[in-house]
Amino acid sequence: MYVISEGGVEIRVPSMSVSGKTKDVFFNPEMELNRDLTIAVLRAYKQEGMETYLDANAATGIRGTRAALDGWKVTLVDISPEAVELCKLNLSINNLSGEVHHNDVNIELRSKRYDVVDVDPFGSPISFLDSAFRGARKLLCVTATDTAPLCGAHLQAGIRRYSSVPKKTEYHAEIGIRNLLSSMARWGARYDIGINPIFCHSTRHYYRVYVEIDRRASKANEALEELGYIHHCSSCLYREVQLGLLSFPILSCPSCGGKKVITSGPIWLGKTHDKDFISKARSHVTEEMGMGSRVERIFSRVAEELEVPTHYDQHKLCRLWGLPAPSMEIFIGQIVDAGFEISRTHYGGTTFKTNATISEIYEIAND
Ligand code: SAH
């Protein structure tokens, strides 16, 4: 056993292999960023009167223990008996209280409800979504590490798991997040629940989404109205969005006339964050967070993102067009001077969102 300190608590973790995967109880030190972001979001949410938090895949119990330190009434659940023992130990060495249940969380959520349900499994969250929707009162936090199926890199696995068709593009991480949200909108709708994403991010090997839920059929209908398709030209990178559950693929690209137009969907085309909520969460970043500066950076980048459903990568565009890439500051200035909106994104240092079309960006870059 090792003892690690994170976010003001001490956690016993099993002896770690290099990858962070252990034989009996899973612990990944690289997820500290994910957990720090979670704690900031939970703090902002707690101010709105929320009390109960379910750590649905607790493993060492590090999430639940950190939430308990912040005053949440926590319940930690794991299907593994070794994990459950470790959760109890970790709460007790930190002098914190909480319920620890040895159970399949899908069974747990049949009979109980929690204000916040945090689904943070190893791999796909799909087998937990159904029960998470039934057992969450206000907020669902979901991690997905199966980025390849979600973003279109493993197309058939993505179709099987998420009942949609995600195609691989250069904005694949955004496709992945929006695809996950699309599944959640459809899963929630089965129970007359509408979703409202308040913060989502993609970080190297996983996606994380925070979704408010509203138990009204009208809200479920509203959420479904945010679904649609993205038509994308693989030759010139033109994109077009189309709302609605029926797809009307484009046969040739309206911009370059090429025939390589691919369609992804049904995908979430609505908002993926709430600026005001993020600014509240940001005010809860505190010193004991080991990843505090990265947390701040992600919050500020996501908050400034324009609400358009795809982004571009300036370096990839310049390579495609055989142009030297100017600095992002100069490039952004050029787009603004031409009268368009532009923002950077959290998806990468040279990524941006804009209301200019691909041919308008091309004209500006060639000016
Ligand atoms: N959330 C943890 C990591 C979780 S790893 C962290 O932040 O460190 C995934 C955990 O989910 C494992 O401990 C595994 O035993 C547990 N798990 C898998 N299937 C489950 C189920 N059906 N119900 C509850 N726990 C489950």
Side-chain angles (χ1 to χ4, degrees):
M1 286 276 189
Y2 283 91
V3 182
I4 62 121
S5 298
E6 189 186 286
V9 296
E10 291 209 337
I11 297 290
R12 298 269 158 94
V13 300
S15 313
M16 280 180 275
S17 66
V18 177
S19 68
K21 286 183 201 166
T22 54
K23 201 170 109 271
D24 40 17
V25 182
F26 181 87
F27 178 72
N28 186 352
E30 272 190 47
M31 287 302 228
E32 183 173 2
L33 175 68
N34 181 325
R35 291 186 287 264
D36 281 355
L37 283 158
T38 303
I39 291 296
V41 167
L42 287 180
R43 285 176 180 165
Y45 221 72
K46 194 155 181 294
Q47 286 189 324
E48 297 176 21
M50 303 301 139
E51 285 185 333
T52 53
Y53 170 83
L54 176 73
D55 184 352
N57 314 91
T60 60
I62 188 164
R63 277 169 199 273
T65 306
R66 290 186 62 179
L69 183 69
D70 274 0
W72 286 88
K73 264 179 88 182
V74 300
T75 304
L76 287 63
V77 176
D78 205 289
I79 203 163
S80 138
E82 292 83 8
V84 166
E85 287 313 306
L86 204 50
C87 288
K88 288 182 182 159
L89 179 69
N90 280 327
L91 279 170
S92 83
I93 60 173
N94 288 285
N95 294 317
L96 293 166
S97 58
E99 291 195 28
V100 183
H101 299 168
H102 178 215
N103 204 352
D104 178 334
V105 75
N106 290 319
I107 294 171
E108 177 89 13
L109 286 167
R110 276 179 191 274
S111 53
K112 299 201 184 85
R113 282 212 174 144
Y114 301 87
D115 293 335
V116 180
V117 171
D118 193 339
V119 175
D120 180 65
F122 183 68
S124 173
I126 199 73
S127 60
F128 301 106
L129 283 189
D130 197 75
S131 45
F133 270 109
R134 279 190 285 168
R137 246 184 235 114
K138 289 288 177 193
L139 183 71
L140 249 179
C141 320
V142 175
T143 307
T145 59
D146 59 336
T147 55
L150 276 165
C151 78
H154 293 165
L155 183 63
Q156 295 304 328
I159 293 171
R160 285 197 308 276
R161 271 180 214 164
Y162 296 97
S163 312
S164 60
V165 183
K167 291 286 176 62
K168 196 157 186 251
T169 60
E170 72 281 5
Y171 45 92
H172 55 88
E174 186 161 5
I175 289 278
I177 285 181
R178 290 181 182 277
N179 194 20
L180 177 58
L181 292 173
S182 157
S183 283
M184 290 177 70
R186 286 175 285 124
W187 252 244
R190 294 162 24 158
Y191 297 105
D192 291 345
I193 295 172
I195 65 160
N196 174 35
I198 52 174
F199 172 56
C200 304
H201 68 101
S202 150
T203 307
R204 219 170 49 81
H205 71 286
Y206 65 89
Y207 307 134
R208 176 81 164 161
V209 301
Y210 296 86
V211 165
E212 277 183 344
I213 66 173
D214 195 327
R215 293 181 180 273
R216 279 183 283 180
S218 60
K219 293 292 169 185
N221 291 339
E222 280 172 28
L224 293 182
E225 280 165 15
E226 301 290 350
L227 300 183
Y229 295 84
I230 296 175
H231 308 296
H232 170 95
C233 173
S234 306
S235 306
C236 75
L237 308 187
Y238 168 86
R239 310 86 203 259
E240 190 173 308
V241 299
Q242 176 229 305
L243 280 166
L245 283 175
L246 292 179
S247 162
F248 302 99
I250 300 175
L251 297 180
S252 58
C253 173
S255 190
C256 73
K259 300 285 181 214
K260 289 195 206 149
V261 183
I262 53 176
T263 296
S264 293
I267 196 160
W268 177 263
L269 297 172
K271 285 179 147 211
T272 53
H273 67 269
D274 173 334
K275 250 192 184 71
D276 293 340
F277 180 82
I278 293 178
S279 93
K280 274 189 221 150
R282 208 178 154 188
S283 71
H284 290 291
V285 179
T286 44
E287 264 184 2
E288 84 288 352
M289 290 185 178
M291 295 288 133
S293 53
R294 283 183 70 192
V295 168
E296 290 259 8
R297 209 162 45 241
I298 290 177
F299 277 144
S300 73
R301 271 285 155 86
V302 172
E304 80 187 35
E305 281 177 14
L306 288 181
E307 279 293 355
V308 291
T310 67
H311 64 267
Y312 298 91
D313 185 322
Q314 185 234 16
H315 278 185
K316 287 183 188 157
L317 290 182
C318 289
R319 213 175 307 135
L320 176 73
W321 296 332
L323 295 172
S327 74
M328 280 304 277
E329 285 68 27
I330 292 176
F331 176 73
I332 287 170
Q334 290 170 332
I335 303 272
V336 171
D337 289 346
F340 296 100
E341 287 184 273
I342 182 166
S343 73
R344 299 182 85 155
T345 89
H346 81 286
Y347 293 102
T350 53
T351 62
F352 67 96
K353 285 177 179 257
T354 179
N355 59 352
T357 62
I358 191 75
S359 49
E360 287 163 339
I361 304 168
Y362 179 79
E363 293 299 322
I364 296 163
N366 271 282
D367 218 10

